[in-house]
Amino acid sequence: MAEFWRWKEYNWKDPDKDWKTAKMITAGIDVGSVSSQAVIATDGELYAYSSMRTGSNSPDSARKALEWALQDTGMKQENIQYVVGTGYGRVNVPFANKAITEIACHARGANFMAGNSVRTILDMGGQDCKAIHCDEKGKVTNFLMNDKCAAGTGRGMEVIADLLAVPIEQVGELSFNVPEEPEPVSSTCVVFAKSEAMGLLKDGWTKSKVLAAYCLAMAKRVSELLERIGVEKEFFITGGIAKNAGVVKRLEQVIGISAVQSKYDSQLAGALGAALFGQALLQKEKAAGKVA
Amino acid sequence: MITAGIDVGAKTIKVVLLDGGKILAKTSVLAGFETEQSVEEAYKEALAKAGIERSAVGKVGATGAGRKAVAFAQTVVTEVSADAQGAVFLHPSARTVIDVGAEEGRGIKTNADGKVVDFAVNEKCAAGAGAFTESMARALEVTLAQFGDISLKSNKSIPMNAQCTVFAESEVVSLIHSNTSKEDIARAVHDAIASRISAMVRRVGLEQDVILVGGVAYNIGFLDSIKRTLGIENVVVPQDPEYVGALGAAVVAGAAGN
């Protein structure tokens, strides 16, 4: 059976940068519940990254992600001076110098990706959803999270994509292919939403209409989290769902605020934040004379 | 008078034909996409089994999430009322009814007449329902019957962190990868759902006798876990526990006629 939920794994490096001239090389590894990212930063700037599915073994996932980010760069792991692990598997990054919570890393990463005027971050990850407030330095001032229920998470969207046999990358675009917006699906629980979606298809709804109803339900669900913490501008979305316009556009409508756009990949926020923390920590150690 | 009870559940449609105190026939069919058609099919099958004509049935009662699909029913009752009536009919000293179906788990307190005193339902989330065990059995690659059996072989209790069915599936996969035995995982799953159902039962107040109905009552692993989490020795499982709702609907239909 085709696996429609399966999103593409990828890596990237900045062709214009030469890491050999960099004074400081740090890495951030974000081992999430569904996906893992590795980011390599040179002198506090993004140099290379990778994003892949988390395997059943966290240390392996961390190692693989880093190896893939290093691929074709000529850089070796020993060239990296400081590694910070983050995400749900952060304590299982065997080669990390330090582990930092993903909430702190997301805020730090968002500050870099979308600028220091960002005050509210919504991280829509694989198995949880977080609303974070931060200051102009990207320091966390408050947060709320849902990690109990798959509604409003990437995993929930994967289940629906699989049910409808729609590749997950196409969900957003297809969901706009409706003459008018339907009512959102009424079930919160993803298991129930699945049954509900089957019933709607039976009633003659198109896949697009079901997707529209599901994206809207997800947008409403996460908007509750945002309402509880309060949305302060600027507003920025990170995580895999940030790439799904079907949810993002509807969420913007529900809360009446547009999200800031960034040229960076939304899934990198955690790992990038971790690499930037690594940079700051390395600087501190250098100043203290602990390392050369 | 012969009465019929039709329970249109999330996964299956059950029909019971009742003649006074005697059950004439029981049938169950999978609820297909065309619910009305599946209801018709199940009803015809029950009539054929009992060897009676449609006209011999005096009253029809419907219950279950899809009860509106039974257009020819004279009486419509909620699953909670039907469960209580059916349970007390089968086991007159039943005071607490636990019904675990495909998509709903319920704890119901009833009086001696089968009238509902209080109830709690998991309507928002699949964590306390049969769909949960079904997903986990699939992740472990065992049949539902095996799933209950192997669970009894475990004497280790591992807590499951995930409450959500979708997340629990990933958790089961990581447990498999960390070489946890299937037996221990099966027990962890049954303990997890039993603790959720027990919480509902405690909310309405536990009073014996306790009777377990719905399709999940067939699962001996769950039965063992629910006894343990409720801290009681005796939980009654009637014969054909999944038909109790339909039976209750037939009882109510008969009473309404008098």
Side-chain angles (χ1 to χ4, degrees):
Chain A
M1 204 181 99
E3 291 172 306
F4 292 96
W5 55 263
R6 199 174 275 281
W7 36 269
K8 277 191 196 69
E9 302 184 314
Y10 51 87
N11 65 353
W12 176 91
K13 71 167 180 165
D14 189 335
D16 301 329
K17 283 198 182 92
D18 179 9
W19 64 267
K20 291 188 182 94
T21 61
K23 287 190 194 70
M24 282 192 265
I25 303 175
T26 60
I29 321 275
D30 181 358
V31 182
S33 51
V34 172
S35 71
S36 293
Q37 286 81 26
V39 162
I40 299 165
T42 49
D43 296 328
E45 284 293 325
L46 182 63
Y47 170 62
Y49 64 79
S50 71
S51 175
M52 54 206 309
R53 200 153 182 99
T54 301
S56 54
N57 178 316
S58 296
D60 263 8
S61 301
R63 204 171 294 121
K64 275 190 195 146
L66 183 59
E67 273 167 17
W68 209 29
L70 287 170
Q71 201 178 14
D72 303 326
T73 61
M75 192 193 287
K76 295 217 166 44
Q77 200 183 314
E78 53 263 33
N79 298 121
I80 302 169
Q81 295 154 290
Y82 205 98
V83 179
V84 171
T86 189
Y88 125 114
R90 63 183 174 272
V91 290
N92 284 317
V93 182
F95 46 88
N97 299 75
K98 198 178 169 73
I100 298 177
T101 72
E102 65 266 33
I103 297 174
C105 289
H106 266 280
R108 183 70 189 82
N111 176 276
F112 181 93
M113 290 160 74
N116 59 13
S117 50
V118 167
R119 289 295 172 277
T120 311
I121 301 144
L122 179 70
D123 173 36
M124 297 184 72
Q127 287 208 7
D128 65 27
C129 182
K130 309 177 193 83
I132 306 167
H133 271 177
C134 67
D135 64 14
E136 73 286 352
K137 287 181 182 138
K139 194 166 171 284
V140 177
T141 50
N142 194 9
F143 77 95
L144 274 177
M145 77 189 273
N146 157 42
D147 59 354
K148 293 268 177 282
C149 166
T153 70
R155 188 71 196 96
M157 189 55 93
E158 288 179 359
V159 169
I160 299 299
D162 236 19
L163 173 78
L164 298 177
V166 170
I168 191 120
E169 285 99 344
Q170 294 172 21
V171 164
E173 201 190 316
L174 268 178
S175 77
F176 292 116
N177 200 5
V178 285
E180 57 176 336
E181 278 285 292
E183 285 287 303
V185 296
S186 61
S187 309
T188 301
C189 174
V190 174
V191 176
F192 293 172
K194 224 173 127 176
S195 307
E196 194 177 338
M198 278 162 77
L200 293 173
L201 288 173
K202 182 201 119 187
D203 292 345
W205 283 40
T206 60
K207 281 183 187 182
S208 288
K209 196 171 169 189
V210 175
L211 285 174
Y214 189 71
C215 288
L216 180 57
M218 193 182 251
K220 290 208 161 160
R221 168 93 176 153
V222 298
S223 75
E224 288 162 18
L225 201 66
L226 282 168
E227 267 160 29
R228 269 162 58 205
I229 199 163
V231 187
E232 206 182 311
K233 281 190 179 178
E234 300 290 335
F235 170 55
F236 186 54
I237 309 176
T238 64
I241 297 278
K243 296 175 184 172
N244 183 327
V247 176
V248 172
K249 289 263 155 46
R250 289 180 175 92
L251 174 63
E252 289 176 336
Q253 247 158 31
V254 171
I255 63 172
I257 294 172
S258 293
V260 186
Q261 300 299 313
S262 166
K263 61 175 181 171
Y264 298 101
D265 182 328
S266 65
Q267 278 184 282
L268 292 185
L272 183 57
L276 297 174
F277 272 125
Q279 162 90 10
L281 289 161
L282 179 62
Q283 235 158 12
K284 216 188 252 175
E285 286 195 5
K286 278 194 170 176
K290 280 190 204 157
V291 286
Chain B
M1 179 178 61
I2 298 176
T3 58
I6 304 179
D7 178 4
V8 187
K11 201 140 187 222
T12 54
I13 296 165
K14 280 85 56 179
V15 179
V16 168
L17 292 176
L18 190 69
D19 188 1
K22 195 168 147 257
I23 294 169
L24 298 178
K26 295 175 195 171
T27 51
S28 164
V29 302
L30 278 178
F33 263 155
E34 298 300 330
T35 314
E36 287 87 353
Q37 211 175 303
S38 305
V39 166
E40 193 54 37
E41 191 190 319
Y43 190 45
K44 273 191 191 143
E45 206 181 304
L47 292 170
K49 241 190 207 175
I52 57 170
E53 292 294 318
R54 215 182 176 103
S55 54
V57 179
K59 294 266 185 211
V60 178
T63 186
R67 55 186 175 265
K68 288 195 186 111
V70 190
F72 52 90
Q74 289 89 16
T75 322
V76 175
V77 277
T78 64
E79 300 96 301
V80 174
S81 302
D83 276 346
Q85 287 289 345
V88 171
F89 179 89
L90 286 174
H91 191 82
S93 55
R95 291 297 172 271
T96 306
V97 187
I98 300 173
D99 176 5
V100 190
E103 288 199 354
E104 271 194 340
R106 308 180 191 101
I108 306 161
K109 194 169 184 172
T110 173
N111 67 15
D113 301 324
K115 289 264 178 306
V116 175
V117 178
D118 198 3
F119 71 96
V121 190
N122 78 314
E123 54 194 352
K124 291 251 184 288
C125 165
F132 185 82
T133 43
E134 221 167 84
S135 289
M136 301 315 129
R138 210 179 308 130
L140 275 183
E141 295 173 336
V142 296
T143 65
L144 269 177
Q146 288 169 334
F147 194 48
D149 288 338
I150 61 172
S151 161
L152 295 184
K153 294 195 183 111
S154 162
N155 49 17
K156 210 156 108 202
S157 125
I158 320 168
M160 286 209 51
N161 298 315
Q163 181 160 353
C164 170
T165 305
V166 175
F167 293 169
E169 220 172 309
S170 333
E171 194 175 339
V172 165
V173 172
S174 8
L175 285 172
I176 296 171
H177 285 294
S178 65
N179 292 323
T180 310
S181 74
K182 282 190 178 183
E183 287 79 9
D184 290 344
I185 298 174
R187 171 161 162 180
V189 168
H190 291 126
D191 281 352
I193 169 170
S195 83
R196 248 146 255 146
I197 302 282
S198 299
M200 290 183 224
V201 172
R202 289 206 191 88
R203 222 180 304 152
V204 300
L206 174 71
E207 195 184 326
Q208 303 216 46
D209 295 349
V210 177
I211 182 167
L212 176 62
V213 306
V216 178
Y218 287 113
N219 182 327
I220 54 174
F222 174 72
L223 177 63
D224 187 60
S225 292
I226 193 83
K227 280 185 194 166
R228 205 170 332 106
T229 49
L230 286 176
I232 56 173
E233 292 283 321
N234 191 25
V235 170
V236 179
V237 178
Q239 201 192 345
D240 302 329
E242 61 176 313
Y243 290 96
V244 174
L247 175 65
V251 172
V252 174
N258 294 340

